[in-house]
Amino acid sequence: MKKKFLALLLALAMVLALAACGGGNNKPANNNPADNKTANDNKTDAPADTTDPAPAEPAPSGETDPEKIDDTMTSADNKYVIAMVTDVGQLKDKSFNQGTWNGVKLYASQNGKSYKYYQPANGDSATDEDRYQAYKAAIDGGAEVIVAPGFLQEAAMVRAASEYPDVKFVFIDGYPLSDANGNALNNVVGVAFHEEQCGYLAGYAAVKEGNTKLGFTGGGGGTNPAVNRYGYGFVQGAQAAAAEDGVNVEMNYSYLYGDGYSASAELQTQISGWYSNGTEIVFACGGSMCNSVFAAAAANNALSIGVDVDQSAESNTVMTSAVKGLSEAASLMLGRFYDGKWDEVGGQAVNLGVDEDAVGLPFATSQFEVITEADYNALVDGMKTGGSLEVKGDYDAFLAGSETYENVAVNFVK
C-alpha cells in the first residue's frame, strides 16, 4: 500500500483538474488524535529545543524514513518557512497528527526548507482563538505555507487566511473555505479522503478472516464526518463479506468514550467488556483511543484494527489498518506551492480515494490468513471508478438507525 501511495505523484495532476468543491456530506473532518498530555502540549509555540537540534537550514536529504528526521531544527535566520499547526492531541500520536507531520518533515528535509510545528494552547480543550494564535505564531515565525489537519481548524484558518492572503494553507481532511463576505479563499486548499472506502476494506477483511462478532469505537462523539465515513464503510464491508460467506455478524458500534479522541480507563473497560462477551475484533477510529483498544485486545487475546496510518508496529493485536495517505498528501501540496503551481489547487477541494491509491489496507503488514493479495487487489479494482462495487459515503440514514442490513446486526451503544 505504501508503494501505491507514490502513484499520487503521477495521478494528482489529473485529479486536481477534476476536483470538485466539497460540501454537504462530502465535507470531511478530522480523525483527531489525542494522547496523554505533557506541559509542552499546551504551548502555542513549538516545543522547547532539543539538546541536539537539526543543522541550521538543512541541506536536501535523501532520507525516506520520516522517523529519522528530527522533529525540531534550528534555522540560521530564525525563520521557519514550512509550518504545521497540530490538531488536538500530541504531535507524536502515532496517528493523524504524526502522519501529516511526517509528510511535512519529508518534504522540508528533501528540499532544504526550514520547518517547525506549533501546538495550540489547552490541548483537547483548545478554542478557535488558541488555534488562531498558533497560526499567528507560525506566520510571525516566517511561515510561507502552513499545513493543518482536522476540521476543528476551520474557523481559525478562515480568520488567518483572510488576514494573511500571501500565506498558503493546506487544510488536511478539509474543504474549500470562504471569508466573512463569502469570497473564496484562494490561499487555502482542502484535501479530503474517501475514508468509507478503506473502512469497507477493513470490515470486509475482518469477516473474511472468520470474525463474526465485531466492534467499532469512534472519536468525536458521532459528530466527526471522517470518523463516521470510516465506520459506515466498515459496516458495508462486513455486510458484503457476510453475504458472500452466508454468515450473520453482530457489531457493537459506539462513540461513548470518544468525544476527546483520547485513551482512557473508561474506554479500555468498555472494550474489555466487549471482548469478554465474545467480540473478536474492534476497529479503533480516533487517534490515541487506539491505545485503550490495543491494551484491551492484548489482555483478552483478541484482535484490533488500526486507523489513518499503519499501526501494526504499535500492537501485535492489529490485524490490519484502514490507512490514508496523510503524509503523501501533505508533501504533494507543499510541492504544488514550491513548484509554482498553487493556482492549480488554491481555493479547491482535492478528493483522494482508491482511484488515486490514496486509501486502503497495508497488505504486507496485515495478519491475513484467508485473504490473498490477489483477492485484495481485485476488491480494490472493483471499487475504482468504472468498477462494479459502490461504497456509499452518505452516512446520515445509517447513524439515524433507519438503515438495516440482512447479515449484520448493528448495536448502537450510546
Side-chain angles (χ1 to χ4, degrees), residues 265-280:
E266 292 81 6
L267 176 59
Q268 185 171 335
T269 297
Q270 181 194 51
I271 302 304
S272 288
W274 288 5
Y275 284 132
S276 296
N277 288 317
T279 296
E280 298 159 296

Side-chain angles (χ1 to χ4, degrees), residues 173-354:
D173 258 11
Y175 29 85
L177 299 176
S178 299
D179 64 18
N181 296 317
N183 300 310
L185 289 168
N186 293 323
N187 55 336
V188 177
V189 58
V191 181
F193 298 88
H194 291 290
E195 293 91 355
E196 71 275 9
Q197 294 176 339
C198 53
Y200 181 105
L201 294 168
Y204 185 91
V207 175
K208 278 293 181 179
E209 289 295 312
N211 303 291
T212 59
K213 295 184 182 298
L214 281 55
F216 174 87
T217 180
T223 65
N224 185 322
V227 172
N228 292 340
R229 286 195 294 272
Y230 270 126
Y232 186 37
F234 188 62
V235 175
Q236 293 176 69
Q239 165 60 34
E244 288 179 6
D245 291 352
V247 299
N248 292 320
V249 170
E250 299 174 13
M251 183 185 298
N252 285 324
Y253 199 103
S254 176
Y255 297 108
L256 187 59
Y257 297 115
D259 286 3
Y261 310 94
S262 299
S264 68
E266 292 81 6
L267 176 59
Q268 185 171 335
T269 297
Q270 181 194 51
I271 302 304
S272 288
W274 288 5
Y275 284 132
S276 296
N277 288 317
T279 296
E280 298 159 296
I281 187 167
V282 175
F283 183 14
C285 189
S288 65
M289 290 172 61
C290 66
N291 294 328
S292 295
V293 175
F294 295 163
N300 289 274
N301 194 29
L303 295 172
S304 62
I305 295 174
V307 75
D308 288 337
V309 298
D310 182 359
Q311 294 186 316
S312 59
E314 306 308 318
S315 171
N316 59 15
T317 70
V318 176
M319 185 189 75
T320 191
S321 301
V323 302
K324 54 189 182 183
L326 294 164
S327 175
E328 291 76 11
S331 182
L332 283 166
M333 293 301 102
L334 290 170
R336 282 334 228 197
F337 172 64
Y338 283 108
D339 291 344
K341 298 179 179 179
W342 184 264
D343 287 346
E344 298 178 9
V345 297
Q348 299 184 45
V350 176
N351 298 295
L352 304 174
V354 292

Side-chain angles (χ1 to χ4, degrees), residues 122-147:
N122 298 313
D124 289 354
S125 299
T127 64
D128 291 335
E129 180 65 23
D130 294 330
R131 281 180 275 271
Y132 171 77
Q133 290 301 327
Y135 286 119
K136 185 69 165 54
I139 294 166
D140 290 345
E144 301 171 337
V145 56
I146 300 174
V147 179

Side-chain angles (χ1 to χ4, degrees), residues 24 26-33 85-88 96-97 100 126-128 131 135 148-158 170-177 190-192 195 219-229 258-261 324 326 395:
N26 290 324
K27 190 174 184 179
N30 67 336
N31 295 9
N32 300 358
V85 173
T86 66
D87 202 354
V88 293
F96 196 66
N97 278 330
T100 305
T127 64
D128 291 335
R131 281 180 275 271
Y135 286 119
F151 80 125
L152 293 175
Q153 305 277 4
E154 179 176 354
M157 187 179 292
V158 166
V170 180
F171 191 7
I172 298 292
D173 258 11
Y175 29 85
L177 299 176
V191 181
E195 293 91 355
T223 65
N224 185 322
V227 172
N228 292 340
R229 286 195 294 272
D259 286 3
Y261 310 94
K324 54 189 182 183
L326 294 164
Y395 51 78

